[in-house]
Structure formats: C-alpha cells, structure tokens
Amino acid sequence: MVLPSSNLRATSSMAYPVSLSSLHHHPNNHHACFPPSKANHDNTHKPMESPKISRRSLIFLPVPSLLYTSSSFALDDANIPSTSTIDTTITDRIFMDFSVCPSYFRSDRTLGAELATCPDSEPLGRVIFGLYGRLLPLTTANFKTACTSAAYRGTLVHKLLQGQFFVAGRQGPRRDRGEVQPPMGLVRNAESIDPKAFQLRHARPGTLSLCLGQNDDDDDVKLNPNYHNVEFLVTTGPGPCPELDGQNIVFGTVLEGMDVITSIATIPTYKPAERIRFFNDFAQLIGDERAQTARALWDRPLKTVYISDCGELKVTKPSLSPPSLP
C-alpha cells in the first residue's frame, strides 16, 4: 500500500522533529522540510536520510541535556575546607560572670565609679568558654591573659543585635563607661592577617569570635602603635550568622551557660527612628564625625549588662576532646 505524499510528510515530521521557528522563518527553504516522496513502484524500501537540523533549532534541545554543564558548579564547594579536618581541640577554659547594674544611669551614682563596684548588681549567671588553643594560639593567649588579669572585669556589653550576637570589650580609657584597658603582656596577633585563621564559621549559637569586621574601637585608639584588639562577640542564635564569616576569627565556643547567653539576647535595645537614621546617613555622607559617635548608641541594650568577674578554670587534663562542629 502506497502512502499519499501528504501523509508521508506528516509521518516524517513526527519521526524527526524540526524547529518550528526555522520552518516559519524560511517558508521556501527545501532543507527545512522533506520533499514529497514518490510512489515506490519497485516495491523496494530505500533508507530514509536523516534531516539536517539547523543551528537555530539547537535552542529547542530538551532541558536534561543541559544538566551535564550545570553539574560543574557543584564542585565549587569542594574548595571550602571541611571543619572535620580543622583541629578544634579545647585547650583552655575561661569563665565569665554576667550581671546587670540597675543603678548605672541613676543621678546619685558615684562619679567615675567602675561597673565592677556596682552596689546593686543582679547576677545573670556564669558562662564557660572553651578555647581552640591549638588552632589559634596567639588569639587564645591574648584572650586568656585579658581574663586572668581581670581586664574584662567591669566591661560593658555595649552592642546587641537580637537574634544574632552581642559584643563586649570595647577599648578605651574610661573604666566608668565599661571600656577595656588592655593589660601588659599581650602579644602581637599576626593571626588577624592570616587567611587560615578565618576557616571556622559562625554556624551555631555560642560561637566565640574576635571582633575584626564588627570592631568599633575609636580610630585614635586603633592608630596607637601598641594597639591590641581585645573586643569579642558571642553569637546568640537561634540561627547561624554567615555575615560574620571571613571577617572575624572564631577561636572558641560556649561549653556551659548557654541559658545566660539566651537571657542576654532577649534584652531590648535602642532602635533609632527612621528620621534619625536618615539624618545620620546624610551626616556620614558629608563627613560629619558626629555621625559615627551617634551610631555607637545604636543597638545598645537598655539594661546595663556587664562582666562582673572572669578568670581561667584549671583542668587536670590540658586538652579536651573537640566538640562536633557543623
């Protein structure tokens, strides 16, 4: 039985799909469609030639054929070092007692009195930090020295971003304002410019980190040739803080007292109105130095939270098993 030429064209187009755009764009192009076949009087079947597909029809390739090219992007994460290969052995344990001083803003408060001598202190609890001394020996040594010398005693928690982290240890000469005066014996921290020091991430609550990107020490303090950064932050959760990664050095974690960290995170903070933010942005744009001074009050806890005591906890075994990191 011989098929009509019209039926054969329909059958051929079903067997070999061709781009519709090429057919409509070249209505008289004989290469874009098959010529009508003639009746085969010899009752022989000749092999049908494959149609030529133009370059324009390549855009109609099925999506699965493109998956092989997209799989190469998944290899980018292979360059990121795994936390399982990083030595996060806890070599030292540091404790910090956090308290609230209700009389800090009272008018009858003794002028120049340090926070450590607050007469009506309300304890919040003790937090025990574990330090990664093998991974970051210089950062750990400076932090431990500041704790054992009581330099952090009376230090104010001066910034709190709810749901993210809080910051303490702002450096300055005013002990009555909760600022820190670094002790003698701190070493020059070359790890602050070492890329390997930024491998750990702020992936969970209770991460202890040295403030570099979030450091808000005054410029005149940073220009001191004997400047040592002692400002630190602690993530409060509930989620990770990826915006801190690569900017601050993670050198420890909370071992005990996460409930104290959570209670600090719930304290309300000062939030400026939208109009104040607008004028502050404009003042910073024109170079007004008062803009930065005003920003120092933003995100400050409305309660005076400070470190009432700190020190080192001696352990019989110097190295503890490292915690599981995400």
Side-chain angles (χ1 to χ4, degrees):
M1 179 178 179
V2 179
L3 294 174
S5 59
S6 59
N7 295 339
L8 183 58
R9 285 197 300 267
T11 307
S12 302
S13 61
M14 293 174 61
Y16 301 95
V18 185
S19 168
L20 295 178
S21 62
S22 61
L23 295 177
H24 292 290
H25 188 69
H26 303 285
N28 298 324
N29 188 359
H30 296 290
H31 297 285
C33 59
F34 301 118
S37 60
K38 298 179 180 180
N40 192 353
H41 298 285
D42 298 335
N43 197 20
T44 58
H45 298 279
K46 295 182 180 180
M48 188 175 296
E49 296 182 357
S50 301
K52 296 181 180 180
I53 302 177
S54 61
R55 293 183 179 179
R56 185 185 300 271
S57 63
L58 293 178
I59 63 175
F60 292 92
L61 288 176
V63 175
S65 63
L66 302 177
L67 296 180
Y68 296 100
T69 57
S70 61
S71 61
S72 60
F73 295 100
L75 300 177
D76 294 340
D77 293 338
N79 298 328
I80 301 176
S82 175
T83 54
S84 60
T85 61
I86 303 175
D87 189 0
T88 55
T89 302
I90 296 175
T91 58
D92 305 276
R93 293 198 301 176
I94 297 296
F95 75 90
M96 284 188 175
D97 295 335
F98 290 89
S99 302
V100 175
C101 183
S103 61
Y104 181 75
F105 293 105
R106 286 172 51 178
S107 59
D108 58 346
R109 178 173 173 262
T110 304
L111 185 63
E114 298 184 9
L115 273 173
T117 61
C118 179
D120 54 350
S121 178
E122 299 177 358
L124 294 176
R126 170 169 291 189
V127 179
I128 299 178
F129 297 101
L131 309 183
Y132 307 143
R134 293 182 181 177
L135 178 64
L136 300 160
L138 299 180
T139 304
T140 299
N142 283 348
F143 185 77
K144 186 170 64 173
T145 301
C147 289
T148 55
S149 62
Y152 283 129
R153 187 178 299 167
T155 298
L156 186 70
V157 177
H158 63 275
K159 182 181 292 185
L160 170 61
L161 275 71
Q162 293 179 336
Q164 299 183 54
F165 60 91
F166 69 79
V167 184
R170 190 172 189 268
Q171 194 171 151
R174 299 290 301 272
R175 293 290 295 173
D176 58 327
R177 294 183 178 179
E179 296 178 342
V180 178
Q181 295 179 354
M184 300 295 294
L186 298 183
V187 297
R188 181 71 62 181
N189 193 353
E191 294 169 350
S192 60
I193 57 175
D194 186 3
K196 295 181 180 180
F198 299 87
Q199 297 181 21
L200 294 179
R201 302 178 180 179
H202 303 74
R204 64 178 184 179
T207 299
L208 176 63
S209 182
L210 179 67
C211 274
L212 295 177
Q214 274 63 34
N215 185 284
D216 54 0
D217 290 335
D218 293 334
D219 292 337
D220 55 347
V221 174
K222 295 180 180 179
L223 292 177
N224 190 330
N226 297 322
Y227 171 74
H228 296 281
N229 185 11
V230 294
E231 190 171 298
F232 65 93
L233 65 86
V234 181
T235 57
T236 60
C241 297
E243 68 278 3
L244 301 178
D245 297 339
Q247 302 181 18
N248 308 275
I249 301 178
V250 176
F251 67 97
T253 185
V254 173
L255 299 179
E256 299 179 24
M258 195 60 207
D259 57 330
V260 180
I261 301 296
T262 304
S263 63
I264 295 176
T266 58
I267 297 176
T269 58
Y270 169 69
K271 301 291 185 183
E274 189 66 27
R275 185 171 61 89
I276 297 178
R277 289 179 178 270
F278 174 78
F279 283 112
N280 187 276
D281 292 339
F282 179 75
Q284 191 175 25
L285 181 64
I286 62 177
D288 194 338
E289 297 180 355
R290 294 173 296 178
Q292 187 64 28
T293 304
R295 282 178 180 266
L297 300 176
W298 296 6
D299 299 313
R300 174 162 292 190
L302 297 182
K303 291 184 179 181
T304 308
V305 183
Y306 70 102
I307 302 172
S308 54
D309 196 10
C310 58
E312 182 182 6
L313 293 177
K314 297 292 185 179
V315 293
T316 57
K317 192 175 181 180
S319 296
L320 304 178
S321 59
S324 59
L325 295 177

